[in-house]
Amino acid sequence: MSLPELLQERILILDGAMGTMIQGYGLGEADFRGDLFKSHPVDLQGNNDLLVLTRPDIIEDVHRQFLRAGADIIETNTFNANGISQADYQLQDAVYDINVAAAQVARRAAVAESTPERPRFVAGAIGPTSTTLSISPNVDDPTFRAVRFRTLADMYAEQVRGLLDGGVDVLLAETSFDTLNIKAAIFAIEEVLAARGQRIPVMLSGTITDRSGRTLSGQTIDAFWTSVEHAQPLTVGLNCALGASDMRPHVRDLAAVSTSAICVYPNAGLPNEFGGYDETPEAMAAVVAEFAESGWLNVVGGCCGTKPEHIAAIAQAVDGLAPRTAAEPARWSRYAGLETLEVRDDSNFIMVGERTNITGSRRFSRLIRTDDYEAAVAVAAQQVEGGANILDVNMDEGLLDSVAAMRKFLDYLATEPTIAALPFMID
């Protein structure tokens, strides 16, 4: 039976925290180097993804522990197996090999623990990287980005090819703190699959960084869904950052709008003063059981701090509970900035702010031509204060480098939450 078919029958169980489990093995530098990287010029301890090449026995053992605890789906040990993260260890050239090996290790464990009555599945884990496309890391330059969309998409594509060649059943882009990053992952996945003439299910998971109910880049839950809905993911959900109790309102809100299945895997509570996680399996299982009883869950597992005993308790708690029924498709048009704009039949006139149009405002045109972008942002702010629902941005002028001007202005706008809350119309 396929993964989409099983989702219709019961709540499926995802595994727990690979990093938490690896810490328990007391590994040293020699374990991370193995025979392959004995002469590598920099220290490798802490590069957990590399263990699929140097200590695959340990990674397979972790997979088997989670499978025996009741997991239906295990994630590959590839959260940081991308060019950006591996560059910290001067191992960007090993990205493809790491992903292939990780998928193969997970596949061996899944096959060994599968039965005809209980098939097990491998999800290719794709982390968010350590960079963000929407936020400048330079407080003095709001237009600076450490990496751009196309570069990040190319890095994701390399990871995706490795995971596919290693034999994963589904791709899981997870822990998304910046929706633009996960859109780059979606773009890469679609590009790679199209080139191969292949289809494979995709799971997407965002992360709420605190109790505000927003991602790190400032987006609300429903706006996050609106932004990724086009990918038609098998599941969409939330993981990391929060424990199950603090995640409750956000899971409820996502379950109310998503036409995809819902996947939730919280941390084992919030980290203590030593960076550890103290929530017991019983306490965590009780909360996620409430999620299931409320009709919010299709897949559930654990993130940071969760061990096989957490997964076993969760599996037992949701056993026999009915999976969530997907929400009906929205009847209305929905657009998203940091917040969602829904255009209904009974909506008032939708106000489009057109003063950020180089052919619609002499003042805005002058500011862009003189490279006074900070003042040009003030024009956008005035449009928002005046009641605009959508912000029209047009840089189409023959004597202007329109692409560069558009990118620079949008980078500025992304730093202003009251403006970025609106959807942008790129004219």
Side-chain angles (χ1 to χ4, degrees), residues 150 153-154 157 160-161 164 184-199:
R150 180 73 254 188
D154 288 344
V160 168
R161 284 190 287 269
L164 293 175
I186 293 168
F187 182 87
I189 290 167
E190 291 297 327
E191 195 170 54
V192 171
L193 292 178
R196 293 174 171 232
Q198 183 179 356
R199 297 307 307 169

Side-chain angles (χ1 to χ4, degrees), residues 300-314:
V300 62
C303 203
C304 301
T306 56
K307 299 179 179 179
E309 48 265 38
H310 290 86
I311 299 309
I314 289 170

Side-chain angles (χ1 to χ4, degrees), residues 177-189:
F177 54 81
D178 183 343
T179 307
L180 194 53
N181 282 36
I182 206 169
K183 291 181 83 169
I186 293 168
F187 182 87
I189 290 167

Side-chain angles (χ1 to χ4, degrees), residues 43-97:
D43 290 346
L44 296 177
Q45 187 166 353
N47 187 1
N48 288 345
D49 304 68
L50 191 60
L51 294 171
V52 298
L53 294 174
T54 60
R55 290 300 306 270
D57 56 315
I58 287 177
I59 303 305
E60 186 170 349
D61 182 55
V62 173
H63 287 318
R64 286 186 178 235
Q65 289 185 58
F66 281 124
L67 289 164
R68 290 166 184 168
D72 298 291
I73 305 167
I74 53 172
E75 299 178 60
T76 56
N77 182 39
T78 52
F79 187 80
N80 288 308
N82 59 75
I84 292 174
S85 300
Q86 288 303 312
D88 293 341
Y89 298 95
Q90 298 181 24
L91 283 173
Q92 55 268 42
D93 292 340
V95 165
Y96 174 81
D97 292 338

